[in-house]
Amino acid sequence: MIQFRTTALLVLLTISFSGNAQDFKFGKVSEEEIKETFNPSDSSAAATVLYRSKEIRFNYSSGTGFNVVTEVFERIKIYDKAGFDYATVSQSLYRNNNDIETVSGLKAYTYSWKNGKIEKSKMEKSAVFTTELNKYRNEEKFTLPNVKEGCVIEYQYRITSPFYYSIDEIALQYDIPIKQQEISISVPEYFVFKPNMKGYLAVNPKYSTKSDKINFTNKSRTTSGGGWGATSTEYSNQSIDYKVNTTDYNMTNVPALNEEPYVNDMDNYRSSVNYELQYVKFPQQLQENYTTTWEDVIKKIYKSDGFGGQLKSTKYFKDDLEILRGKTSTETELMGAIFSHVQGRMNWNNIYGYYVDKGVKTAYKERTGNIADINLILTAMLQGAGLNANPVLVSTRNHGVPMSPTREGFNYVITSVEMDGNLLLLDATNKYARPNLLPTRALNWYGKKIQKDGSSVSVNLFPYNLSEESVQLSVRLKENGSIEGKQRHTNKDYNAYLFRNKYANSVEDDYLEKLENKNHGMEISDYSIKNKDGKGKPILESYSFSLDNQADVVGDKIYFSPLFHLTMYENPFKLEEREYPIDFTFPWREKYIVNITIPEGYEVTSLPENENLTMVDKIGGFQYQILDNGTTLQLRVDVKINQAVIPANYYNGLKELFKNIVEKQTEKVVLSKITSNGTTESSGKGR
């Protein structure tokens, strides 16, 4: 925390904030707001923000320095039960050692219409809870009282933060519509922040500057005579001029952020603004730079004790490394052994960060640590073994993509190793990851590999290999529309990784119950699984099953989709337009081979036509091939998505591909009963 002394700046002030004129006042809810039954601009909305204001200003206190004060006021209309969640509010509060953000001035009310008038319910202190989330974060949460359909809630509070160098990201868009919002950020001229906008809303901030005067008093003491003589105190009044730079975001009828599938995190596409400190320049002091170029950002991170300094320590793992050396004969084997050792020994404490939490030596001894503790241990051991290893800064999928030089843009670190001209990426914080198969949370566009001289190069984090899921199905269709058969299910690469993370510690009976429910009440028997814990190997499941109601029996005809319970019935892409990329996390392939024995006494009278589709630029494809062998049918289906992330300009083509997949998979095979003269009930066999 920077503090100002009279010798440097004389004294600095509390900066007053002049807010925008507001039509909304806390506690003044109108009858019209209470009686509103839906949002005219979005009738599907379960709730609407009627008014929202956020005022951010800097205050100065002698002896403690600058604080950032944020005043929050929100009024929300709740239309139906689906909007009740908005009556519970949580505020994340950062802390670091003895410095902590605090909430004060909290007031909250619920307003309802009762007996021809507005009824007001006050939230009690008992509805407020503070929880310690981790070493760096607290959460203050409160729930408003007497929430019911049609009510209006409002709350206001103040956040005081000692972290003058940080302004939390300001959301300009919610998951529900906002009728009116007024957001104002006032910053003294001594702090220069860079606003980073994201999202797809048209935002037109207004900028203004005002001059102000700071009055302060200087105090000096003089002593008459020498030694411990009488002292006198003199006061002198002085003043300095300063500027306050204000940015206002005044917006009306802000639409809700529309959910779509295959997004790394919707918050990454929510319209918002993040203010990052570039430099601080106080009168009579040198300018202190925070972020300017990628080179400056990377070097500051690398030189810090919590990052680069951790790579210098090697004694704590020396004995273990010698044992690993003795068990391996090649560099590749040694790399794999070191990775497995760190992965097996260390346990992640669920805290992100590229700076260490405990420090590598303590973390190694205690066998637990944050992301940086574990992966910097991994980097240091690989370097200690003489391998060309370097840390790679990463922003996780839920943290956005750092498009411009920024320290706040990263929240994670992994390890890289160059071997035989190839770059391998490693992360030992997940028990089921392996070299070049990172935890999915880290698959976010690109990272910054930091060289030993502090320079950096960009590293592509996208996986390129197709992660395959294949199903072999042998089915006997019965006259009543039920089926029985055997299924063999194989998951490879990321599909296997996801399966292990989700089910490796599950009880088999619980897992099978979920699998049966997922498949519409299927009855499963003779279940077996191979390589459940075999990191890097395909997971092989096989079982026998029976399932009712898989075909429609109408008179002498049977209609069914030949993929049965594996059929895709709905296109996941529903928006007319999409402005953000389609993120599948990793490229994938789904293959189905289905062999169907039709009921005795029936023959095929209609089959879906074969299909072979390829998207432009070979981004994706779909093949559908069905063959009639008389008493059996054989179906082959192959779906490929060849890129992890697909740009938005391909959205219409991707939407059309999935539309065709759904249409083809839901097409029916038609069986007709064979009559005594050897023909079907219709006039002969046809397609």
Side-chain angles (χ1 to χ4, degrees), residues 239 320 353 366 632:
S239 64
D320 289 334
E366 297 180 357
T632 62

Side-chain angles (χ1 to χ4, degrees), residues 405-580:
T406 170
R407 286 188 295 176
E408 296 177 359
F410 299 111
N411 66 333
Y412 202 94
V413 61
I414 60 174
T415 301
S416 68
V417 183
E418 292 185 54
M419 303 189 75
D420 301 325
N422 297 315
L423 185 69
L424 303 178
L425 301 178
L426 300 87
D427 185 339
T429 63
N430 184 281
K431 300 301 183 184
Y432 303 111
R434 56 182 170 84
N436 266 6
L437 196 146
L438 299 172
T440 53
R441 57 179 174 259
L443 300 180
N444 194 31
W445 294 79
Y446 68 90
K448 288 285 185 179
K449 183 181 74 168
I450 305 181
Q451 322 268 32
K452 291 184 176 67
D453 61 0
S455 63
S456 68
V457 294
S458 291
V459 173
N460 194 332
L461 300 175
F462 290 142
Y464 289 102
N465 295 329
L466 295 179
S467 291
E468 187 174 300
E469 178 181 10
S470 61
V471 177
Q472 290 179 294
L473 202 62
S474 179
V475 174
R476 186 168 71 88
L477 176 63
K478 298 181 180 180
E479 272 191 83
N480 64 0
S482 65
I483 61 173
E484 62 181 25
K486 294 183 178 181
Q487 181 166 322
R488 181 179 173 88
H489 197 159
T490 304
N491 280 306
K492 297 179 180 179
D493 297 323
Y494 271 108
N495 287 319
Y497 165 88
L498 293 174
F499 182 96
R500 290 186 176 107
N501 277 278
K502 189 171 184 179
Y503 298 118
N505 297 317
S506 297
V507 176
E508 184 173 295
D509 286 346
D510 293 340
Y511 168 69
L512 291 179
E513 183 179 355
K514 291 177 182 177
L515 184 61
E516 288 176 335
N517 291 335
K518 176 184 175 182
N519 288 297
H520 316 292
M522 173 185 287
E523 292 288 336
I524 291 176
S525 60
D526 303 324
Y527 176 82
S528 68
I529 184 169
K530 295 181 180 179
N531 303 327
K532 181 180 179 182
D533 300 316
K535 181 180 64 177
K537 297 180 179 179
I539 290 177
L540 308 174
E541 294 180 277
S542 61
Y543 50 86
S544 300
F545 70 91
S546 61
L547 187 58
D548 295 332
N549 302 317
Q550 290 300 291
D552 295 321
V553 180
V554 181
D556 291 328
K557 296 186 183 298
I558 300 176
Y559 303 82
F560 64 94
S561 301
L563 272 176
F564 299 109
H565 56 285
L566 303 174
T567 302
M568 177 186 287
Y569 287 99
E570 188 175 4
N571 189 343
F573 302 106
K574 296 179 172 59
L575 292 181
E576 289 299 318
E577 302 288 337
R578 177 155 165 163
E579 296 174 310
Y580 36 86

Side-chain angles (χ1 to χ4, degrees), residues 43-59:
S43 59
S44 65
T48 293
V49 178
L50 301 176
Y51 177 73
R52 171 184 182 231
S53 74
K54 178 172 280 193
E55 303 173 3
I56 299 171
R57 65 180 185 271
F58 282 61
N59 281 355

Side-chain angles (χ1 to χ4, degrees), residues 205-246:
K206 294 182 179 180
Y207 306 98
S208 61
T209 301
K210 71 174 183 179
S211 296
D212 216 330
K213 186 182 292 292
I214 307 165
N215 296 314
F216 56 90
T217 300
N218 258 345
K219 180 172 69 173
S220 61
R221 290 189 176 93
T222 58
T223 303
S224 59
W228 293 86
T231 61
S232 61
T233 302
E234 294 183 358
Y235 297 90
S236 60
N237 295 321
Q238 297 185 32
S239 64
I240 59 170
D241 293 325
Y242 70 97
K243 291 191 299 182
V244 177
N245 298 311
T246 299

Side-chain angles (χ1 to χ4, degrees), residues 171-187:
L172 302 177
Q173 185 179 27
Y174 282 175
D175 296 335
I176 55 176
I178 302 172
K179 286 192 175 183
Q180 183 174 340
Q181 65 180 351
E182 298 174 349
I183 296 169
S184 183
I185 301 97
S186 294
V187 182

Side-chain angles (χ1 to χ4, degrees), residues 112-401:
S112 302
W113 188 255
K114 186 175 181 180
N115 298 327
K117 63 179 182 179
I118 297 176
E119 181 181 66
K120 180 177 179 181
S121 300
K122 180 181 179 181
M123 184 185 73
E124 301 298 331
K125 291 182 179 180
S126 59
V128 183
F129 299 92
T130 301
T131 304
E132 182 179 318
L133 299 179
N134 55 50
K135 181 179 178 179
Y136 301 104
R137 288 285 176 184
N138 288 349
E139 179 186 60
E140 184 136 331
K141 180 182 288 187
F142 58 90
T143 301
L144 283 92
N146 299 330
V147 175
K148 59 187 71 174
E149 292 179 333
C151 72
V152 171
I153 62 172
E154 68 173 0
Y155 49 85
Q156 66 177 19
Y157 57 88
R158 179 184 305 107
I159 306 168
T160 302
S161 171
F163 309 108
Y164 70 90
Y165 47 81
S166 176
I167 297 176
D168 287 344
E169 182 174 278
I170 303 166
L172 302 177
Q173 185 179 27
Y174 282 175
D175 296 335
I176 55 176
I178 302 172
K179 286 192 175 183
Q180 183 174 340
Q181 65 180 351
E182 298 174 349
I183 296 169
S184 183
I185 301 97
S186 294
V187 182
E189 61 179 293
Y190 312 112
F191 301 91
V192 176
F193 286 87
K194 178 183 178 181
N196 297 309
M197 303 293 300
K198 72 178 183 182
Y200 297 92
L201 291 180
V203 178
N204 298 301
K206 294 182 179 180
Y207 306 98
S208 61
T209 301
K210 71 174 183 179
S211 296
D212 216 330
K213 186 182 292 292
I214 307 165
N215 296 314
F216 56 90
T217 300
N218 258 345
K219 180 172 69 173
S220 61
R221 290 189 176 93
T222 58
T223 303
S224 59
W228 293 86
T231 61
S232 61
T233 302
E234 294 183 358
Y235 297 90
S236 60
N237 295 321
Q238 297 185 32
S239 64
I240 59 170
D241 293 325
Y242 70 97
K243 291 191 299 182
V244 177
N245 298 311
T246 299
T247 305
D248 292 311
Y249 301 87
N250 298 328
M251 304 170 69
T252 58
N253 297 321
V254 179
L257 182 66
N258 289 314
E259 283 280 354
E260 268 279 271
Y262 302 110
V263 175
N264 53 9
D265 192 296
M266 285 303 297
D267 279 341
N268 293 337
Y269 305 102
R270 187 183 308 280
S271 289
S272 63
V273 58
N274 181 51
Y275 283 82
E276 183 169 18
L277 186 61
Q278 288 189 293
Y279 64 85
V280 177
K281 178 65 174 74
F282 299 113
Q284 302 177 20
Q285 293 187 17
L286 295 175
Q287 177 173 306
E288 184 176 2
N289 294 317
Y290 281 77
T291 57
T292 49
T293 65
W294 276 123
E295 183 180 8
D296 292 334
V297 169
I298 299 300
K299 283 185 175 180
K300 278 191 175 183
I301 293 173
Y302 190 68
K303 289 179 179 179
S304 67
D305 291 337
F307 190 89
Q310 300 293 311
L311 299 175
K312 298 176 182 178
S313 180
T314 60
K315 290 183 180 179
Y316 66 94
F317 60 70
K318 184 177 180 181
D319 292 342
D320 289 334
L321 181 57
E322 288 305 311
I323 293 172
L324 296 173
R325 284 183 189 275
K327 294 180 178 180
T328 57
S329 57
T330 67
E331 285 192 342
T332 300
E333 289 179 356
L334 181 57
M335 180 274 295
I338 292 171
F339 175 77
S340 295
H341 170 74
V342 177
Q343 184 184 44
R345 178 187 181 94
M346 302 302 298
N347 297 288
W348 180 40
N349 62 9
N350 295 317
I351 297 176
Y352 287 179
Y354 57 79
Y355 287 134
V356 294
D357 181 16
K358 298 179 177 181
V360 290
K361 288 188 285 188
T362 301
Y364 193 79
K365 179 181 178 181
E366 297 180 357
R367 298 173 179 258
T368 184
N370 74 348
I371 294 293
D373 286 321
I374 296 172
N375 283 331
L376 292 182
I377 287 172
L378 175 62
T379 306
M381 287 193 75
L382 292 167
Q383 290 178 347
L387 301 177
N388 187 6
N390 293 286
V392 179
L393 292 172
V394 171
S395 173
T396 56
R397 292 170 60 79
N398 61 359
H399 192 68
V401 181

